[in-house]
Amino acid sequence: MWRGQTNYCWTPFPTLYRRIRRSGYSDMQIDEGLVRHAESRILEEARANGLLRCGGSVLEFMACMQHFGGATRLLDVTSSLDVALYFASSRHDKVAGVVYSYRVNPDMRVSIGEQPNGQDPDWYDLTDRCRGGRPLLVKPRSYEPRIVVQHGAFIMTSLDGSLADPNLFICQTVDSEARPILILPKLKPSVRRYLAAKRITEESLFPSGIEGFSKARSANVPIRL
């Protein structure tokens, strides 16, 4: 699996870890107990707002929340190297981008909505499977065109110690391997041309009508007049 980031300085942590950081907690304070407490608050609020019914799939809710910009323990990845290259080269031409290569063991994979009994695994059973910092690959349903064209998936884990300790998102561990590949600033325009020739662009990767159109014409994109 792959993950592209347009700035190599950004730590590839899941958005919930980053949200907790921005709430005043240090990496030493962020551990599995704190992450689970934050998740329980999110789930309580979701049920109170009618977004998650009693007995509903927490796994699918978390995947949907992550997809639409919410902060979860899921880290966005893709099975397409070209898609990762796009996200590593699409912005910030004065700083290097990075593509992370992640290895996940075959026995640590789950596909939403494809269980034999028709029910997704319990969320906390999954996080318990990840104890020791093991990575779990989550494949979402193809309910939205962006997931399909971006070959999207997620990686999740259970923190073993604190966020300050070595973890699978940035280090090689017993059960996983994360390898960064730098995309130098001078190479970014060439990478974009290569991808454009393959029709991998902002508009093709964000195909939901106005979303892709708007992103391709955002304040960060040069305009030709």
Side-chain angles (χ1 to χ4, degrees):
M1 302 303 292
W2 310 91
R3 175 179 172 83
Q5 296 186 170
T6 191
N7 189 327
Y8 81 101
C9 294
W10 298 340
T11 307
F13 284 155
T15 47
L16 182 56
Y17 299 175
R18 287 185 265 152
R19 185 183 180 193
I20 297 172
R21 261 180 168 179
R22 291 168 185 158
S23 300
Y25 292 89
S26 70
D27 287 0
M28 287 289 293
Q29 294 173 304
I30 300 173
D31 59 13
E32 184 61 22
L34 188 60
V35 171
R36 289 197 180 203
H37 179 67
E39 285 176 337
S40 67
R41 292 286 300 274
I42 292 168
L43 295 175
E44 287 174 8
E45 293 165 358
R47 292 186 178 105
N49 284 277
L51 299 175
L52 178 64
R53 61 180 176 81
C54 183
S57 171
V58 175
L59 175 61
E60 183 157 26
F61 172 78
M62 289 294 190
C64 288
M65 186 174 167
Q66 176 67 27
H67 179 69
F68 289 109
T72 75
R73 74 163 74 213
L74 301 173
L75 183 73
D76 290 289
V77 294
T78 175
S79 60
S80 168
L81 176 56
D82 283 344
V83 171
L85 280 171
Y86 172 80
F87 285 107
S89 63
S90 61
R91 299 282 187 273
H92 305 299
D93 283 1
K94 293 184 178 180
V95 65
V98 62
V99 170
Y100 285 93
S101 168
Y102 290 106
R103 176 180 57 81
V104 180
N105 290 340
D107 66 324
M108 291 292 288
R109 303 184 182 197
V110 61
S111 296
I112 295 175
E114 295 185 9
Q115 304 306 306
N117 62 2
Q119 292 187 329
D120 290 325
D122 178 79
W123 177 252
Y124 290 111
D125 286 347
L126 291 177
T127 56
D128 285 344
R129 280 180 65 187
C130 296
R131 287 196 179 279
R134 299 187 71 196
L136 178 74
L137 179 66
V138 177
K139 294 187 177 181
R141 295 180 192 264
S142 300
Y143 55 81
E144 211 272 343
R146 178 154 53 102
I147 292 175
V148 178
V149 298
Q150 294 183 8
H151 303 275
F154 310 108
I155 288 176
M156 61 178 279
T157 194
S158 178
L159 286 177
D160 185 26
S162 77
L163 190 59
D165 297 325
N167 59 73
L168 69 92
F169 300 111
I170 55 175
C171 301
Q172 183 170 337
T173 67
V174 173
D175 295 293
S176 67
E177 186 175 8
R179 293 184 180 273
I181 305 165
L182 287 182
I183 309 298
L184 298 177
K186 65 181 181 181
L187 295 179
K188 285 187 176 182
S190 299
V191 172
R192 288 197 296 269
R193 288 192 294 271
Y194 160 78
L195 295 172
K198 301 179 73 173
R199 298 186 178 180
I200 298 174
T201 64
E202 191 92 33
E203 286 177 275
S204 70
L205 293 179
F206 294 88
S208 301
I210 190 64
E211 182 182 15
F213 181 88
S214 301
K215 283 181 174 293
R217 293 159 180 83
S218 70
N220 297 318
V221 179
I223 187 168
R224 295 178 181 175
L225 299 173

